[in-house]
Amino acid sequence: MTDNLNSLFEKIKPIISKARRSIRVKSWDIDDYFQKGLITLNELLNSGCNEEQIFVHFKVKYRQKLIDMVRKTQAQKRAWENEVGIDVYESESFINSNKNTPEDVMIFNSLKLEVSKRLSPNYRRLLKKQLDGEVLTRMEKHRLKEKIKKILFDDADAEE
C-alpha cells in the first residue's frame, strides 16, 4: 500500500508544483504543499477513487483545498484588520460619572478587608489615613504601597 502511495505521489508531484505556482498560500513553503498533496492523495485512495481517474480527481480536489486555505488566511487577515474596538463615546457618561458598579465596590471591599487583616497595626493606621483622604508623607505612601503589593502579589506567586 505504501509503495503504491509513494509511486503515485511521485507521479503527482508535478501537479503539486504547477498548482503551487498558480495558487500561493502566503505562509507556506514547498514542504507544506507536498504535505497537503500527500494528505489529499491518501484521502482519494481511501475514498475508493478509480486509479484511472486519480490524476483528474487529485488536481481538482487539491486546487480546491489550496483555494480554501487562501480564503481562510484572507479571512483571518480581515478579522485582524476589522477588529471591533471599544466605543469610548458610548460609555462617556459612565466614565465621567466617577461612580463604581456594585461589582467594583464588592471587589474593592473584599481586597481592602483581605489586605487590612494582614497588615500590622501601624500599616493599618496608614491605610485608614490614606482612605480617609488624609495627607501621608511620600515615604509613608511608598512603604504602604510596597507592603500591599507584597501581600497581594507575593501570595499569588506562591499559589501558582
Side-chain angles (χ1 to χ4, degrees), residues 19-45:
R20 178 178 160 254
R21 286 190 297 274
S22 63
I23 303 171
R24 299 286 302 165
V25 180
K26 286 193 179 205
S27 61
W28 281 20
D29 60 4
I30 188 73
D31 293 331
D32 296 318
Y33 286 94
F34 285 138
Q35 182 179 13
K36 191 60 138 177
L38 189 59
I39 291 169
T40 304
L41 179 62
N42 193 29
E43 288 172 358
L44 285 173
L45 290 175

Side-chain angles (χ1 to χ4, degrees), residues 131-148:
L131 293 175
D132 290 343
E134 295 180 32
V135 179
L136 297 179
T137 67
R138 186 170 172 240
M139 187 56 156
E140 288 174 327
K141 283 183 186 178
H142 177 72
R143 287 182 20 231
L144 180 62
K145 182 177 90 172
E146 292 301 314
K147 187 68 169 179
I148 291 172

Side-chain angles (χ1 to χ4, degrees), residues 47 80 89 96 122 128:
S47 70
W80 281 103
Y89 298 107
N96 290 334
N122 187 34
K128 182 169 179 4

Side-chain angles (χ1 to χ4, degrees), residues 76-111:
Q76 289 170 343
K77 180 182 171 191
R78 279 192 307 272
W80 281 103
E81 289 175 353
N82 298 328
E83 192 168 315
V84 177
I86 298 172
D87 186 9
V88 176
Y89 298 107
E90 189 176 292
S91 305
E92 182 179 18
S93 61
F94 176 75
I95 292 169
N96 290 334
S97 70
N98 291 329
K99 292 183 181 175
N100 294 320
T101 64
E103 293 86 8
D104 293 338
V105 173
M106 187 179 74
I107 291 170
F108 174 76
N109 289 334
S110 173
L111 284 173

